[in-house]
Amino acid sequence: MKSIAPFIRDINDFPKPGIVFKDLTPLLNNHEATNLCLQELLKLVGNQSIDKVVGMEARGFFFGTLIAQSLKAGFVPVRKPGKLPYNTLSETYALEYGSDVLEIHEDAIKPGDRVLIHDDVLATGGTAAAVCKLVERLGGEIVQCNFIMELEFLNGRERLKSNTVTSILKY
Ligand code: AMP
């Protein structure tokens, strides 16, 4: 197996007309493809030391925890409002229509922690930019924003330009 690309399935018009949804469930369904994806994500990190991996709800959890284990780092979930049980910090970010909120536990990252931010897809970058703000508010040092896929035509990198952005597959 040389590439994870054949394991990403395009679903047209999901969740709404005009969107091509990048479905990674065929990849998760195959242990070799899952392992190859993890190895490729680890290659993007290289030998940089990481204290915490932050993964976004929900598809950032799959590989976020695997990366954290491999790097001997802690895993930190960022979730939609009302899901995290302890004290949280929240960040509101703009969507195409309206806005959304993401939350993190206030004790999940210590000042000076070296942080890797991970999600499955970088689209407009709004979600990742909000997560960067949460990490920075807790005093974390963002080492890299790391994605399986990047939709280059949406220019998500522009929103994250003060950070290092990496991805395996570019569309
Ligand atoms: P954005 O904030 O626009 O960068 O959107 C990123 C978030 O939306 C990520 O958590 C992705 O999982 C999800 N997302 C956006 N566009 C797609 C897409 N075409 N296929 C799958 N997930 C997507």
Side-chain angles (χ1 to χ4, degrees), residues 19-22 57 59 119-128 151:
I19 305 284
V20 180
F21 189 87
K22 297 290 184 189
E57 181 170 352
R59 291 181 297 277
D119 203 359
D120 64 336
V121 175
L122 173 64
T124 66
T127 308
L151 308 181

Side-chain angles (χ1 to χ4, degrees), residues 6-33:
F7 295 89
I8 305 294
R9 175 165 61 185
D10 281 359
I11 308 285
N12 289 323
D13 299 318
F14 182 88
K16 50 186 180 182
I19 305 284
V20 180
F21 189 87
K22 297 290 184 189
D23 176 20
L24 87 166
T25 62
L27 188 149
L28 293 169
N29 200 276
N30 182 294
H31 77 93
E32 276 182 73

Side-chain angles (χ1 to χ4, degrees), residues 50-64:
I50 302 292
D51 300 305
K52 300 283 162 62
V53 177
V54 175
M56 284 86 120
E57 181 170 352
R59 291 181 297 277
F61 294 174
F62 300 132
F63 284 94

Side-chain angles (χ1 to χ4, degrees), residues 15 25 56 59 72 80 88 91 101 110 122 126 129-130 155 163:
T25 62
M56 284 86 120
R59 291 181 297 277
K72 297 188 164 60
K80 302 275 168 60
T88 57
E91 192 66 44
V101 179
K110 303 277 178 274
L122 173 64
N155 290 321
N163 297 294

Side-chain angles (χ1 to χ4, degrees), residues 41-167:
L41 289 167
L42 292 171
K43 253 190 242 166
L44 298 175
V45 185
N47 56 11
Q48 302 180 92
S49 81
I50 302 292
D51 300 305
K52 300 283 162 62
V53 177
V54 175
M56 284 86 120
E57 181 170 352
R59 291 181 297 277
F61 294 174
F62 300 132
F63 284 94
T65 45
L66 292 174
I67 297 167
Q69 269 299 300
S70 302
L71 296 176
K72 297 188 164 60
F75 176 74
V76 177
V78 165
R79 301 207 60 182
K80 302 275 168 60
K83 301 284 189 189
L84 289 170
Y86 185 58
N87 298 340
T88 57
L89 242 59
S90 47
E91 192 66 44
T92 303
Y93 63 106
L95 296 174
E96 197 178 351
Y97 301 104
S99 63
D100 217 337
V101 179
L102 286 174
E103 294 186 341
I104 193 168
H105 272 152
E106 66 177 15
D107 62 350
I109 289 166
K110 303 277 178 274
D113 271 353
R114 290 172 56 81
V115 176
L116 178 76
I117 291 174
H118 168 79
D119 203 359
D120 64 336
V121 175
L122 173 64
T124 66
T127 308
V131 176
C132 286
K133 282 192 195 140
L134 287 171
V135 170
E136 281 162 358
R137 282 168 62 195
L138 290 175
E141 184 194 326
I142 299 165
V143 175
Q144 184 179 108
C145 299
N146 163 298
F147 304 90
I148 300 171
M149 293 166 266
E150 176 176 355
L151 308 181
E152 287 187 308
F153 56 94
L154 293 173
N155 290 321
R157 270 174 191 265
E158 275 297 298
R159 302 274 287 271
L160 304 171
K161 58 174 167 249
S162 57
N163 297 294
T164 303
V165 177
T166 62
S167 60

